[in-house]
Amino acid sequence: MDFDDTPDEAAFRAEARAFLDANRPRKDRARAAPRYGEVDAAELARAKAWQARKAAAGFAGITWPREWGGRGGSPMQQIIWNQEEAGYDVPYDVFLIGLGMCIPTLMAYAGRPVLERYVRPALRGEEIWCQLFSEPAAGSDVAGLCTRAERNGEDWVVNGQKVWTSGAHFCDFGLLLARSDPAVPKHAGLTAFWIDMKAPGVEVRPIHQMSGGSHFNEVFFTDLRLADRQRLGAPGQGWKVALTTLMNERLAVGEPRRPDIHDLIALARAVAIDGRPAIADPAVRLKIAEWWADSAGLAYTRFRTMTALSRGQTPGPENAIAKVVNAARLQAIAAYGMDLLGQAGAIADPALAPMAGLFQDGLLAAPGQRIAGGTDEILRNIIAERVLGLPAEPRVDKDMPFNRHAPAR
Amino acid sequence: MDFDDTPDEAAFRAEARAFLDANRPRKDRARAAPRYGEVDAAELARAKAWQARKAAAGFAGITWPREWGGRGGSPMQQIIWNQEEAGYDVPYDVFLIGLGMCIPTLMAYAGRPVLERYVRPALRGEEIWCQLFSEPAAGSDVAGLCTRAERNGEDWVVNGQKVWTSGAHFCDFGLLLARSDPAVPKHAGLTAFWIDMKAPGVEVRPIHQMSGGSHFNEVFFTDLRLADRQRLGAPGQGWKVALTTLMNERLAVGEPRRPDIHDLIALARAVAIDGRPAIADPAVRLKIAEWWADSAGLAYTRFRTMTALSRGQTPGPENAIAKVVNAARLQAIAAYGMDLLGQAGAIADPALAPMAGLFQDGLLAAPGQRIAGGTDEILRNIIAERVLGLPAEPRVDKDMPFNRHAPAR
Amino acid sequence: MNFAFSDDSRLLRDQARRFLAERCPASLVRAALDAAPPQAAALWREMAGLGWLGVGLPEAHGGAGLGAEALCVLAEELGRALAPVPFLSGRCLAAEAIAQCGSPAQQAAWLPRLAAGEATAAFALAEGAGDPSPGAIRARLRNGRIDGTKLPVADGMNADIAVIAAQDADGPVLALVDLAGPGVERQPMAMIDPSLPHANVTCRAAPAERLPGAAGWNAIAALLDRAAVPAAFAALGGASAALEMAVAYAKERHAFGRAIGSFQAIKHKLADVYVAVELARSNAWYACWALERDAGALPLAAATAKVSADAAFFQAAKENIQTHGGIGFTWDADPHLFYRRAMLLAHALGGPRFWKERMMAALETANAA
Amino acid sequence: MNFAFSDDSRLLRDQARRFLAERCPASLVRAALDAAPPQAAALWREMAGLGWLGVGLPEAHGGAGLGAEALCVLAEELGRALAPVPFLSGRCLAAEAIAQCGSPAQQAAWLPRLAAGEATAAFALAEGAGDPSPGAIRARLRNGRIDGTKLPVADGMNADIAVIAAQDADGPVLALVDLAGPGVERQPMAMIDPSLPHANVTCRAAPAERLPGAAGWNAIAALLDRAAVPAAFAALGGASAALEMAVAYAKERHAFGRAIGSFQAIKHKLADVYVAVELARSNAWYACWALERDAGALPLAAATAKVSADAAFFQAAKENIQTHGGIGFTWDADPHLFYRRAMLLAHALGGPRFWKERMMAALETANAA
């Protein structure tokens, strides 16, 4: 075991840090908290500018081939970049889904002309991509989706509705999964496409979240025409394409959302219980210790993943672990932070609540974290079935033609 | 709401207390803990003597009809008796299953000659009854049992094996559920009987539990012959009979097993942390407070049940609540008590461990509490389906003839 | 022994539930998130008309002549409906303080008007972060005038008067302040549940009149104990409603070809919520009895009920959202209304740590162990 | 960066696992519940023959020239097999104490014999209820003689010598005592896991020889930190094995016409155990690195690893029994062996509260927050 950089890694880290120092201020935890909310026009512009600058300097798509504008670097370089960038005040990453999930899927299934046209602008932050899988009646059960894609001569015509589309309101293109054959079992009747989000027949309506922002959207398709060249994979192979996309989701291992254990420690130092800092109270210490053990465990699990990645191994279920632990802990830490504030715990006013309302914001965001990108329940299924090898549940719906299912409600 | 006795209730309580004072010493929590273990011959003799004395004084079968030796009293009188008896040092109740479950089932399904012969001796503690339902391959799934009962002329012949039979080694009679027709769906092919545990063809083998004792048994049947008059209910109606028995199980609401919250408080007063009683430590206080809230909630839930019973209502799912909360809390409290003992937590020697090893005994008994009489998982199913009305899981086995099932392992 | 609500109380519950189903639908609560809607004020007046605001107050002063059971039944039903009205602060804290500690003149001046809904009163104890304690009161009462800042104050923007905790020469006291009078400045403030508006109230030499019966911390603590009981019922009502909503959705919503309520992950989660709610219910009932009959048992019973109900409400509210999945996380769906209210209630009279410590102190005092 | 065990360590793991699968089956552990079986002593000798007892000790004194990784790998595999041998007490506490704090003469006298399995040593810190602290040591060292009672002492009946914590004029110290010598009385005592026998050791003016490097509480605490790392690996090994046993049973056992592992109640329970075990594994790995390379990081890393692994082991062990249902609760099935060992390990170096507090103290010192 060795936590030190190799000379090559150290050189790359120094290069990354020099670039970051020259371009961004350091992050300041004590300053106003990142609010869980919408990305406004100004933030979007900042995000695009930052992505363009990273791409120009060779820090976007670090592991991508040079042919597509990447650096052709190693997974360890990507990890080092992520570690370094996390220390700086950078705009909200609106490219995560596009660059982490959509473009890799395109690379696996689209023809060369499509890649020539779309990969570089995406990497430079000029065009943003979203993922259009979930539907009102197909959340956890993605393969239960109803949006129809019907052949019409050489083209396809799409009608239906998607939901929970992150960033659809500022996206240019999207990856669509639709039902092309309702007469076969549910997983067999799907086809994947890429679409232009600005095309006629696409309507985006932001969803107002309980946490205040509108990061997610409903997307409606009314006679949206797609050329057959927008198809990804063969007709009926859409589920396979979707699995490629979802597997790439695992690579995008994120930091835990705030308030995290460090924020709780900061709060416990700042507020008093019986005239002493809360962190001196044995009950508070016990809580912090237990969360610290989990937080440290997750951080070191990420190191295990990085090491595996750097050896060219495919990432395992670590992201399922991280998400299931982080989301529940976020909710618990946020609630406990409010508890430490006593009678003022329910104050959400950022001017009055400690740390600009970070704990109250986190409490309102936590339920979404437990749902979006795989619910707690689905993630436990994934761990149990794909990691531990426990048998799947008997499925009443799996082999039945989709159009003979009871209507999903 | 009124926690005071009515004049009638007060009179009965005084009568009960006078009888108890005259016959038993008060319970002393500080004395050696009840060990989870076997009932030896001396304890069995004490239990029988105490039951005989109660029966003679009219305090056994308080709600049973006078015709069968009961008092013909009210449910509230039974409750008052239970409250009062709990304050005294009485022998282990070996009659709970027989009088609480088996005899009531007999009363519902057996003919008068059977009742004339068996009810009074059971009530006087002269004969003890057990329940023979579970099998090695049919634990939570009781209806999956394999023990065969085959017609042989006027008689039945039983072959097979039961398991987890509480007290079978000291029981005289038992309630048996067996498969009489394997060619029909599992719930439809069962028949119930009462049997003589001393008959040829019945062999009882105690099971050595992880907690040390041998309260449970395996019972083997080899060509056990039963007269048709030992049948309860019609052939194939055994599941219905079993449900009667299991419903009566709910009436037998027990006290939480020890160590309970009171024991934990006693321990926290007795041991020191940093030179002060542990109960002064805020972390300890927080733990105790949370368990206290649950313990009090269960105690008052029992009052709600008692009130419902006293109004002639059938008891609801309260016992499922009590068992699911008590078993998990027993495990948690036992482990936490050991934590308070620090480096001495793992000492199980009753001469050296505080409170005669109550916490260590409880820790070893707790896993059984979470399993016996319905696992945590089965109880949550019962609450979800029977109380909340959530739909059952799809069952692959329910309508298939039993002899076409995959062999249970 | 009889551990159940009286027939009268059950009738009152049925009446309240019908009334609130009509007058306080979720749409009204949702509207109140943005700004106090006129229907909320109308609801309050109608509640006064039904005598609800006078429940438990002396009949001589406009009270309705009903006791703790009625108060708790109403609190539970208002909690179940998430009614955007200041019942807890106005009735259970402020009016209760005047009823318990006010002079006959103060009672005669205010209780009839409060019971009739002609005036409302706020209760101002908190001064920002920290749990209730004598030392946490820094506002000062000198020569009939109060100086200090109180926040959060429920209903502080709207109320006519406030019962304010302050230190005088002898220690903590309660005093009446005219909120529209001189020396009072109020600012609205955002709470996690905006449907019950709160204010930041600053007094600068604001004229104040002591409640003579409220001398010392124990009198204030006793008021908190009394208020904790209806507060627990409010949380219990919210928890029950959130559980019912989750169960209904789990029966109706299908995934993977089955109602999601047939999956053990959902089934057992909701069974756990049910267990928590029923334990909280039993604790709340006992506290109601203690409030009505046994002052000695009240501190422990009230704290136990409050801790139990707040925890059950939070659990029910968060698992209701989880059961709903994505839709449960939207502004336009109802589950977040319960989640917000659960957190508001859990901090309204001091946070969870405060009530657990109060429970332990009472447990040791009662020698109940 | 490279956060993985070396190839050498992986080879050692494979070798150890094969060896223990053969020489330390569950039947041996079960036999050890009643009385130390001869096979356990044979196992210990074979371990010595393989050089395992000298891992991490100086080569000059019979050590095997391997470092912390090897020590941790062995601890994990021995933990996985529930080996009824005193590796933690003998190697990781007593021999470690002599190696870290002994004089050259003491090291030369004892380490080669301990490494060769020719002698065993116990470590006697605890004196009944309470967690490790300077004040909890009441045994006294005066004029080269110890008075006091130590319990529980792992391997105390069998060991030849003991490293005993006592107070001398300057504070806590460690001293070597010949357990077969004068003034020592030992009594076997029942532990929750009888497969690792413990004793109650009373010294009455027993001749003792100070370890010169162990002066003051900090030296003792540093030993506990060092031992906590292999202790965490032992718990991790047990947790992994208990989880694997539960998963295997859940695949095989059928109820209601399905493998019980297809029910979400079982599936999600075991997923939660898996998560706990993997977090514990990561914390243990980091502590192994700190033990090998970074003494400054050790206190926080060791405490974190210990807390995490003990909690994971208890969770895995109890849910393994639960997954097995009735059979899991019998003496003759193996699940209770893990449950007992989990509780023994969780208290062996101080209980969970002690290590959580030690974690917090290190966290504050490290200013890691």
Side-chain angles (χ1 to χ4, degrees):
Chain A
M1 291 186 197
D2 194 349
F3 282 92
D4 299 331
D5 288 335
T6 64
D8 280 359
E9 289 167 1
F12 177 79
R13 192 183 296 277
E15 189 188 338
R17 205 175 290 178
F19 171 76
L20 284 159
D21 274 337
N23 286 281
R24 306 294 320 172
R26 299 280 311 171
K27 192 181 277 177
D28 177 2
R29 182 176 288 274
R31 271 191 30 208
R35 295 187 70 85
Y36 293 87
E38 47 224 297
V39 175
D40 63 15
E43 179 76 359
L44 185 62
R46 276 193 296 275
K48 288 188 165 196
W50 175 233
Q51 184 68 18
R53 188 166 300 189
K54 280 161 64 177
F59 291 113
I62 286 171
T63 61
W64 289 17
R66 285 173 182 276
E67 170 183 19
W68 299 121
R71 187 188 187 92
S74 69
M76 190 49 74
Q77 287 180 330
Q78 182 68 60
I79 290 159
I80 290 170
W81 169 264
N82 292 350
Q83 289 176 337
E84 293 301 317
E85 193 186 27
Y88 293 80
D89 184 16
V90 295
Y92 187 86
D93 186 358
V94 297
F95 309 100
L96 199 66
I97 289 171
L99 299 181
M101 300 167 66
C102 300
I103 302 292
T105 307
L106 234 55
M107 286 180 171
Y109 287 98
R112 185 141 194 114
V114 172
L115 301 182
E116 296 279 5
R117 160 65 187 83
Y118 293 106
V119 173
R120 285 167 187 273
L123 196 65
R124 291 194 299 260
E126 292 157 13
E127 294 171 352
I128 314 183
W129 287 66
C130 60
Q131 183 239 68
L132 299 145
F133 288 5
S134 297
E135 297 190 4
S140 291
D141 182 12
V142 174
L145 57 83
C146 297
T147 291
R148 286 298 315 274
E150 290 173 291
R151 274 281 189 185
N152 183 301
E154 286 301 288
D155 292 350
W156 296 80
V157 176
V158 176
N159 282 285
Q161 182 197 346
K162 295 289 171 180
V163 74
W164 312 122
T165 313
S166 301
H169 54 302
F170 54 66
C171 279
D172 304 285
F173 301 95
L175 210 61
L176 172 73
L177 193 62
R179 184 163 305 282
S180 50
D181 186 353
V184 297
K186 62 199 281 190
H187 294 85
L190 305 173
T191 301
F193 304 89
W194 61 265
I195 70 167
D196 180 349
M197 295 294 291
K198 313 295 185 201
V202 179
E203 187 196 348
V204 175
R205 293 186 203 155
I207 295 169
H208 192 182
Q209 294 154 217
M210 62 170 278
S211 48
S214 291
H215 184 70
F216 297 103
N217 299 271
E218 295 178 297
V219 181
F220 296 85
F221 306 112
T222 312
D223 293 333
L224 168 67
R225 289 195 85 82
L226 302 179
D228 193 48
R229 66 176 184 87
Q230 289 176 259
R231 179 166 45 77
L232 295 169
Q237 293 294 302
W239 186 244
K240 201 178 143 208
V241 179
L243 288 181
T244 308
T245 313
L246 294 171
M247 205 158 68
N248 277 294
E249 192 170 23
R250 292 215 204 124
L251 287 159
V253 183
E255 291 286 321
R257 295 298 190 104
R258 296 180 57 192
D260 60 18
I261 184 68
H262 303 286
D263 294 313
L264 181 61
I265 292 171
L267 184 72
R269 286 183 162 145
V271 305
I273 293 177
D274 292 340
R276 291 197 309 163
I279 201 167
D281 182 279
V284 178
R285 295 173 81 76
L286 194 72
K287 287 271 190 192
I288 292 177
E290 289 173 359
W291 281 316
W292 173 267
D294 282 353
S295 299
L298 268 187
Y300 302 133
T301 298
R302 207 143 55 214
F303 287 140
R304 286 166 61 195
T305 309
M306 291 171 185
T307 298
L309 274 172
S310 74
R311 296 175 172 188
Q313 296 167 17
T314 25
E318 291 81 1
N319 199 33
I321 292 182
K323 184 167 182 305
V324 80
V325 174
N326 277 331
R329 195 184 47 212
L330 172 65
Q331 195 162 38
I333 285 181
Y336 191 64
M338 291 170 66
D339 189 353
L340 290 183
L341 301 175
Q343 298 174 94
I347 298 177
D349 199 322
L352 295 170
M355 300 171 77
L358 176 64
F359 285 81
Q360 291 75 14
D361 276 357
L363 189 90
L364 292 175
Q369 298 291 311
R370 289 181 58 194
I371 293 166
T375 63
D376 287 1
E377 292 76 21
I378 291 293
L379 294 172
R380 286 195 173 86
N381 270 356
I382 288 174
I383 292 171
E385 295 178 12
R386 300 199 204 154
V387 185
L388 301 179
L390 290 169
E393 295 210 66
R395 286 281 291 271
V396 293
D397 62 325
K398 217 168 172 176
D399 302 318
M400 192 192 290
F402 186 75
N403 56 11
R404 290 177 54 199
H405 285 214
R409 281 162 285 183
Chain B
M1 290 187 200
D2 194 347
F3 282 91
D4 298 332
D5 288 335
T6 64
D8 279 358
E9 289 166 0
F12 177 79
R13 192 183 295 277
E15 188 188 340
R17 204 173 290 180
F19 172 76
L20 284 160
D21 274 336
N23 287 282
R24 305 294 319 171
R26 298 283 308 173
K27 192 182 278 180
D28 177 2
R29 182 175 288 273
R31 269 191 30 208
R35 296 187 70 85
Y36 292 89
E38 44 225 296
V39 176
D40 63 15
E43 180 75 0
L44 185 63
R46 276 193 296 275
K48 288 188 164 194
W50 176 233
Q51 184 68 19
R53 188 167 299 189
K54 280 160 66 176
F59 291 113
I62 287 171
T63 60
W64 289 16
R66 288 174 179 274
E67 172 183 18
W68 300 119
R71 187 188 188 93
S74 70
M76 190 50 74
Q77 287 180 330
Q78 181 69 58
I79 290 159
I80 290 170
W81 169 264
N82 293 351
Q83 289 176 336
E84 293 301 319
E85 192 186 28
Y88 293 79
D89 183 15
V90 294
Y92 186 87
D93 186 357
V94 297
F95 308 99
L96 198 65
I97 289 171
L99 299 181
M101 299 167 67
C102 301
I103 302 292
T105 307
L106 235 55
M107 286 180 172
Y109 287 97
R112 188 143 191 111
V114 172
L115 301 181
E116 295 280 5
R117 160 65 186 82
Y118 293 106
V119 173
R120 286 168 186 270
L123 195 66
R124 290 193 301 260
E126 292 157 12
E127 293 170 349
I128 314 183
W129 286 66
C130 60
Q131 183 239 66
L132 299 146
F133 287 6
S134 296
E135 298 190 4
S140 290
D141 181 13
V142 173
L145 58 85
C146 296
T147 291
R148 286 299 315 276
E150 291 172 289
R151 273 280 190 188
N152 184 301
E154 285 301 286
D155 291 351
W156 297 79
V157 176
V158 176
N159 282 284
Q161 181 198 347
K162 296 289 173 181
V163 74
W164 313 123
T165 314
S166 299
H169 53 302
F170 55 67
C171 280
D172 303 285
F173 299 96
L175 211 61
L176 171 73
L177 193 62
R179 186 163 304 282
S180 50
D181 185 354
V184 298
K186 62 200 281 188
H187 295 86
L190 305 174
T191 300
F193 303 90
W194 61 266
I195 70 168
D196 180 347
M197 294 295 289
K198 313 295 187 201
V202 179
E203 187 196 348
V204 175
R205 294 188 203 153
I207 295 170
H208 192 182
Q209 293 153 219
M210 64 171 276
S211 49
S214 292
H215 184 70
F216 297 103
N217 299 271
E218 295 178 297
V219 180
F220 295 85
F221 305 112
T222 312
D223 294 333
L224 168 67
R225 289 196 86 83
L226 302 178
D228 193 49
R229 64 174 186 88
Q230 289 175 259
R231 177 166 47 75
L232 295 168
Q237 293 293 303
W239 186 244
K240 199 177 145 209
V241 179
L243 288 180
T244 309
T245 312
L246 293 171
M247 203 157 71
N248 276 294
E249 192 170 23
R250 294 218 202 120
L251 286 159
V253 184
E255 291 287 321
R257 294 299 189 104
R258 295 178 59 188
D260 60 17
I261 184 68
H262 303 287
D263 294 312
L264 181 61
I265 292 171
L267 184 73
R269 286 185 163 144
V271 303
I273 293 177
D274 293 340
R276 291 196 308 165
I279 202 166
D281 182 280
V284 177
R285 295 173 80 77
L286 194 73
K287 287 273 190 190
I288 292 176
E290 290 173 359
W291 281 316
W292 173 268
D294 281 354
S295 299
L298 269 187
Y300 302 134
T301 297
R302 207 144 52 216
F303 286 140
R304 286 166 60 196
T305 308
M306 291 170 185
T307 299
L309 274 172
S310 74
R311 294 174 174 188
Q313 296 166 17
T314 24
E318 290 84 2
N319 198 33
I321 292 182
K323 185 167 181 309
V324 82
V325 174
N326 277 332
R329 193 181 49 211
L330 171 64
Q331 195 161 38
I333 285 181
Y336 191 66
M338 290 170 67
D339 189 355
L340 290 183
L341 301 176
Q343 298 174 95
I347 298 177
D349 199 322
L352 296 170
M355 301 171 79
L358 176 65
F359 285 80
Q360 290 77 12
D361 277 356
L363 188 91
L364 292 176
Q369 298 291 312
R370 289 180 58 195
I371 292 166
T375 64
D376 286 1
E377 292 75 21
I378 291 294
L379 295 172
R380 286 192 173 87
N381 270 357
I382 288 174
I383 292 171
E385 296 177 12
R386 300 201 203 152
V387 184
L388 301 179
L390 290 169
E393 295 211 64
R395 287 281 290 271
V396 293
D397 62 325
K398 215 166 172 178
D399 302 319
M400 191 191 293
F402 185 75
N403 54 12
R404 292 177 54 199
H405 284 217
R409 281 162 289 183
Chain C
M1 196 205 63
N2 174 16
F3 193 43
F5 279 87
S6 70
D7 289 342
D8 282 355
S9 297
R10 280 197 289 264
L11 285 174
L12 177 62
R13 175 189 307 279
D14 292 344
Q15 178 205 19
R17 193 168 300 185
R18 276 195 309 272
F19 171 80
L20 290 167
E22 189 184 311
R23 294 294 206 288
C24 185
S27 58
L28 174 58
V29 185
R30 174 178 311 288
L33 292 177
D34 296 322
Q39 300 97 311
L43 174 62
W44 185 250
R45 285 191 301 273
E46 289 187 89
M47 285 169 58
L50 290 166
W52 291 5
L53 306 187
V55 161
L57 295 180
E59 293 186 60
H61 297 309
L66 295 168
E69 278 200 24
L71 187 76
C72 291
V73 161
L74 290 177
E76 183 177 352
E77 293 306 315
L78 290 164
R80 160 184 281 275
L82 303 174
V85 293
F87 189 74
L88 184 60
S89 60
R91 164 62 194 86
C92 303
L93 284 164
E96 191 73 21
I98 297 170
Q100 297 285 332
C101 310
S103 67
Q106 287 165 335
Q107 294 183 353
W110 287 106
L111 293 182
R113 295 184 60 201
L114 295 175
E118 291 162 11
T120 62
F123 185 79
L125 170 61
E127 300 185 16
D131 273 314
S133 76
I137 300 171
R138 290 173 297 266
R140 294 203 61 89
L141 175 66
R142 265 176 302 214
N143 306 323
R145 290 176 184 272
I146 279 185
D147 286 277
T149 297
K150 294 285 177 179
L151 76 159
V153 180
D155 202 34
M157 291 307 291
N158 179 61
D160 300 290
I161 52 164
V163 175
I164 295 189
Q167 303 279 356
D168 82 354
D170 304 324
V173 296
L174 295 176
L176 277 176
V177 171
D178 178 355
L179 289 176
V184 176
E185 194 182 305
R186 343 185 214 179
Q187 294 287 337
M189 57 189 297
M191 300 296 285
I192 201 137
D193 180 1
S195 70
L196 288 176
H198 284 61
N200 182 340
V201 176
T202 299
C203 297
R204 293 192 186 83
E209 188 184 286
R210 269 196 55 181
L211 300 187
W217 174 246
N218 287 348
I220 297 173
L223 276 173
L224 291 178
D225 285 345
R226 295 183 68 82
V229 183
F233 273 89
L236 175 66
S240 307
L243 172 60
E244 287 164 23
M245 182 182 287
V247 167
Y249 190 77
K251 289 177 183 171
E252 172 195 298
R253 169 82 178 178
H254 281 57
F256 304 103
R258 304 158 46 177
I260 61 170
S262 71
F263 288 99
Q264 286 185 334
I266 300 295
K267 199 175 267 192
H268 291 190
K269 182 199 304 298
L270 297 182
D272 286 340
V273 173
Y274 172 79
V275 169
V277 170
E278 289 308 307
L279 298 187
R281 188 180 315 281
S282 298
N283 281 327
W285 286 20
Y286 181 73
C288 171
W289 172 80
L291 181 60
E292 179 109 37
R293 298 287 191 88
D294 186 345
L298 182 62
L300 178 56
T304 304
K306 180 95 173 68
V307 166
S308 201
D310 287 341
F313 194 8
F314 183 52
Q315 186 181 351
K318 72 181 180 174
E319 301 309 341
N320 183 32
I321 297 176
Q322 184 71 12
T323 301
H324 276 73
I327 194 81
F329 184 58
T330 61
W331 183 270
D332 293 335
D334 293 339
H336 73 108
L337 304 176
F338 292 93
Y339 188 73
R340 292 172 185 280
R341 183 62 59 88
M343 291 312 275
L344 190 82
L345 278 179
H347 298 85
L349 309 173
R353 299 182 68 265
F354 172 76
W355 286 101
K356 287 173 193 165
E357 177 49 40
R358 200 155 170 77
M359 189 198 301
M360 280 306 294
L363 193 49
E364 292 185 292
T365 306
N367 201 18
Chain D
M1 194 203 68
N2 174 15
F3 193 44
F5 279 88
S6 70
D7 289 342
D8 282 354
S9 297
R10 279 196 289 263
L11 285 173
L12 177 63
R13 176 190 307 280
D14 292 345
Q15 179 205 16
R17 193 169 301 184
R18 276 195 309 272
F19 171 79
L20 290 167
E22 191 184 311
R23 295 294 206 287
C24 186
S27 58
L28 174 58
V29 185
R30 173 179 312 288
L33 291 178
D34 295 322
Q39 300 96 310
L43 174 62
W44 185 249
R45 285 192 302 272
E46 289 187 86
M47 286 170 58
L50 291 166
W52 292 5
L53 305 187
V55 161
L57 295 180
E59 292 185 59
H61 296 309
L66 295 168
E69 279 200 23
L71 187 76
C72 291
V73 161
L74 291 177
E76 183 177 353
E77 293 306 314
L78 290 164
R80 160 184 282 276
L82 304 175
V85 293
F87 189 75
L88 184 61
S89 59
R91 164 62 193 86
C92 304
L93 285 164
E96 192 73 19
I98 296 170
Q100 298 284 331
C101 310
S103 67
Q106 287 165 336
Q107 294 183 353
W110 287 106
L111 293 183
R113 296 183 61 200
L114 295 175
E118 292 162 9
T120 61
F123 186 80
L125 171 61
E127 301 184 14
D131 273 314
S133 76
I137 299 172
R138 290 173 297 266
R140 295 203 61 90
L141 174 67
R142 265 176 302 212
N143 307 321
R145 290 175 183 272
I146 280 184
D147 287 276
T149 297
K150 293 286 176 177
L151 76 160
V153 179
D155 202 34
M157 290 308 290
N158 179 58
D160 301 290
I161 52 166
V163 174
I164 296 189
Q167 301 280 356
D168 81 355
D170 302 325
V173 295
L174 295 178
L176 277 177
V177 171
D178 178 355
L179 288 176
V184 177
E185 194 182 309
R186 343 184 216 181
Q187 293 288 337
M189 56 189 297
M191 299 296 285
I192 201 138
D193 180 1
S195 70
L196 288 176
H198 284 60
N200 183 340
V201 176
T202 299
C203 296
R204 293 195 186 81
E209 189 183 288
R210 268 194 57 182
L211 299 186
W217 174 248
N218 287 349
I220 296 173
L223 277 173
L224 291 179
D225 285 345
R226 296 183 67 82
V229 182
F233 274 89
L236 176 64
S240 306
L243 172 59
E244 288 164 23
M245 182 181 287
V247 167
Y249 190 77
K251 288 177 183 172
E252 173 195 297
R253 169 81 178 180
H254 281 59
F256 304 104
R258 304 159 47 177
I260 62 169
S262 71
F263 287 99
Q264 286 184 334
I266 299 295
K267 199 175 268 194
H268 291 190
K269 180 199 304 298
L270 297 182
D272 286 341
V273 173
Y274 172 79
V275 168
V277 170
E278 290 309 305
L279 298 187
R281 189 181 313 282
S282 300
N283 281 326
W285 286 21
Y286 181 73
C288 172
W289 172 81
L291 181 60
E292 179 110 37
R293 300 284 192 88
D294 187 345
L298 183 62
L300 178 55
T304 304
K306 180 96 174 70
V307 166
S308 203
D310 286 340
F313 194 8
F314 183 53
Q315 188 181 349
K318 72 181 181 174
E319 300 311 341
N320 183 31
I321 297 175
Q322 184 71 11
T323 301
H324 276 73
I327 194 81
F329 184 58
T330 61
W331 183 269
D332 293 334
D334 293 340
H336 73 108
L337 304 176
F338 292 92
Y339 188 72
R340 291 173 185 277
R341 183 62 58 88
M343 291 313 275
L344 189 81
L345 279 179
H347 297 84
L349 311 173
R353 298 182 69 263
F354 171 75
W355 285 102
K356 287 173 192 164
E357 176 49 38
R358 198 153 173 77
M359 188 197 304
M360 280 307 292
L363 193 50
E364 292 185 293
T365 305
N367 201 19

